[in-house]
């Protein structure tokens, strides 16, 4: 009886191991990547790093397939999500939403079909629609410029701001910027308008500011592309009262300006590299290949860039 019992026990253990095998083994991961089109240089960087991730990771992992879709607007991105889910039949998604509110329901519908969802940078308005969130430090992105501007102005002056697109991350940045300025009652924020992280829109918004406000001490353009539009508008208007133009994200052209000291209005920036899309794709793909999940939130630090450390952030071969 003891021998029979022992054989039965061994058989049960073996059967359990076989049953557990498929659950522990890595399944094939069909990963969809949904990102905005390269409408400006930062998005050019996002597109570059997403395609680099596809190239590197598919070469490294035979059980991984990555499909990248780019969209020119929120409705197009929503339609592409439906195609990725029903036609491409993805089982994992990394999405950089064009807009937060407009993409929340479409992403939730993809997740409801059992797809693992990592949201990058522009968060959704309902976090239950995602499994993980990867982004730069948007609080620091708004806080660092405000602190720098306040210090350079000696705690007194008139400031205008150019916001990005109406997204959760833009709100985080603006809230952080305003939070710092509350400590400086002699600094007045004259206006803060959306310029869509676009240099042409920034040019138009700045033209409006320069027409309405006869004195501006500093301009916070929350993106280096927008800062280019700001500088063009200032030049065209022949205004010499603006002491500071502070952009954001560490574009190579802006960092080179800091290194060379060519423009006294631009001697600092804040880091926010588009390479985080590569990191998000890699983290998601490798976690799903192992049957694992990512932490709910992964934040990549943003730091102040000055002449002292600018060389560490200058990447001349990058598209951004």
């Amino acid at each position: 009886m003891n021998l029979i019992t022992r054989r039965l026990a061994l058989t049960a253990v073996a059967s359990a191991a076989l049953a557990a095998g498929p659950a522990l083994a890595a399944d094939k991961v069909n990963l969809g990547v949904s990102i905005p089109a390269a409408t400006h240089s930062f998005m050019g960087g996002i597109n570059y790093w997403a395609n680099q991730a596809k190239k590197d990771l598919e070469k490294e992992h035979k059980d991984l397939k990555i499909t990248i879709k780019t969209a020119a607007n929120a409705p197009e991105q929503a339609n592409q999500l439906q195609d990725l889910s029903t036609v491409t039949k993805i089982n994992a998604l990394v999405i950089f939403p064009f807009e937060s509110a407009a993409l929340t329901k479409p992403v939730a519908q993809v997740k409801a079909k059992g797809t693992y969802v990592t949201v990058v940078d522009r968060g959704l308005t309902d976090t239950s629609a995602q499994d993980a969130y990867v982004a730069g430090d948007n609080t620091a992105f708004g806080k660092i410029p405000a602190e720098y501007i306040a210090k350079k102005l000696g705690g007194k002056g008139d400031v205008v701001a150019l916001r990005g697109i109406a997204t959760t991350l833009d709100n985080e940045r603006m809230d952080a910027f305003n939070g710092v300025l509350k400590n400086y009652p002699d600094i007045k924020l004259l206006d803060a308008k959306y310029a869509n992280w676009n240099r042409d829109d920034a040019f138009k918004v700045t033209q409006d500011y320069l027409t309405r406000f006869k004195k501006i001490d500093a301009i916070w353009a929350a993106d280096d592309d927008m800062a280019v539009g700001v500088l063009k508008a200032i030049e065209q208007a022949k205004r010499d009262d603006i002491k500071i133009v502070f952009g954001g994200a560490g574009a190579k052209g802006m960092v080179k300006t800091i290194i060379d000291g060519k423009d006294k209005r631009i001697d600092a920036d804040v880091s926010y590299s588009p390479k985080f899309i590569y990191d998000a794709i890699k983290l998601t793909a490798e976690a799903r290949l192992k049957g694992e999940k990512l932490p709910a939130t992964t934040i990549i630090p943003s730091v102040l860039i000055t002449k002292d450390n600018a060389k560490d952030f200058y990447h001349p071969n990058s598209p951004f």
Side-chain angles (χ1 to χ4, degrees):
M1 291 293 293
N2 288 340
L3 181 59
I4 294 172
T5 302
R6 184 169 177 270
R7 285 176 176 172
L8 288 171
L10 288 171
T11 301
V13 170
S15 299
L18 287 171
L24 295 172
D27 293 326
K28 289 187 176 181
V29 173
N30 188 7
L31 174 66
V33 175
S34 176
I35 55 178
T39 53
H40 58 285
S41 62
F42 184 83
M43 279 306 163
I46 290 291
N47 280 252
Y48 171 83
W49 285 111
N51 282 284
Q52 191 64 42
K54 172 180 169 66
K55 178 182 174 183
D56 293 347
L57 295 170
E58 286 186 339
K59 183 178 179 180
E60 186 176 348
H61 302 287
K62 62 182 178 61
D63 290 328
L64 174 66
K65 178 187 176 185
I66 298 176
T67 303
I68 299 173
K69 296 283 188 181
T70 61
N73 51 55
E76 182 180 9
Q77 190 172 32
N79 290 334
Q80 289 176 352
L81 286 178
Q82 186 174 13
D83 287 344
L84 284 169
S85 183
T86 59
V87 180
T88 311
K89 299 188 183 303
I90 59 171
N91 54 22
L93 172 68
V94 173
I95 178 168
F96 190 126
F98 203 98
E99 296 174 9
S100 296
L103 272 300
T104 296
K105 185 176 179 181
V107 172
Q109 291 171 338
V110 173
K111 187 176 186 295
K113 295 180 180 179
T115 302
Y116 185 89
V117 175
T118 298
V119 173
V120 181
D121 196 55
R122 301 176 189 173
L124 303 176
T125 55
D126 180 2
T127 56
S128 68
Q130 69 196 34
D131 293 285
Y133 178 65
V134 177
D137 189 342
N138 288 294
T139 297
F141 191 97
K143 182 180 179 182
I144 287 171
E147 290 175 338
Y148 185 85
I149 289 169
K151 184 178 179 180
K152 290 283 284 187
L153 293 181
K156 185 177 181 179
D158 296 322
V159 179
V160 293
L162 286 81
R163 305 182 63 170
I165 292 172
T167 54
T168 57
L169 77 86
D170 183 81
N171 292 337
E172 288 175 41
R173 293 173 176 182
M174 196 68 228
D175 289 347
F177 189 85
N178 285 328
V180 171
L181 293 191
K182 285 179 181 178
N183 300 319
Y184 297 91
D186 292 330
I187 293 180
K188 185 177 181 181
L189 181 62
L190 301 174
D191 204 351
K193 285 190 170 183
Y194 292 105
N196 306 312
W197 294 307
N198 181 281
R199 65 181 62 184
D200 292 333
D201 291 345
F203 175 77
K204 294 172 185 175
V205 170
T206 306
Q207 279 186 317
D208 172 66
Y209 286 162
L210 296 173
T211 300
R212 290 193 290 127
F213 306 118
K214 300 308 177 187
K215 176 179 159 300
I216 299 172
D217 295 297
I219 298 179
W220 177 44
D223 177 85
D224 286 332
D225 261 348
M226 292 198 296
V228 172
V230 167
L231 292 167
K232 183 179 178 182
I234 293 172
E235 181 182 357
Q236 188 176 95
K238 295 181 171 30
R239 290 279 291 266
D240 58 7
D241 52 314
I242 294 99
K243 304 177 184 71
I244 303 166
V245 175
F246 198 115
K252 63 182 181 183
M254 207 61 70
V255 175
K256 187 68 163 60
T257 298
I258 294 170
I259 292 171
D260 295 341
K262 289 181 178 179
D263 191 330
K264 64 182 181 180
R265 297 166 299 185
I266 302 167
D267 56 6
D269 206 320
V270 60
S271 67
Y272 201 89
S273 172
K275 187 179 179 292
F276 60 59
I277 192 71
Y278 183 108
D279 299 331
I281 295 169
K282 180 179 173 66
L283 288 169
T284 303
E286 294 184 345
R288 299 316 293 159
L289 285 166
K290 296 174 184 175
E292 297 174 354
K293 295 183 177 181
L294 298 180
T297 302
T298 301
I299 299 298
I300 299 163
S302 292
V303 301
L304 179 67
I305 301 172
T306 65
K307 193 161 187 170
D308 292 337
N309 65 352
K311 288 182 179 178
D312 297 334
F313 297 92
Y314 182 53
H315 306 291
N317 296 325
S318 167
F320 178 76

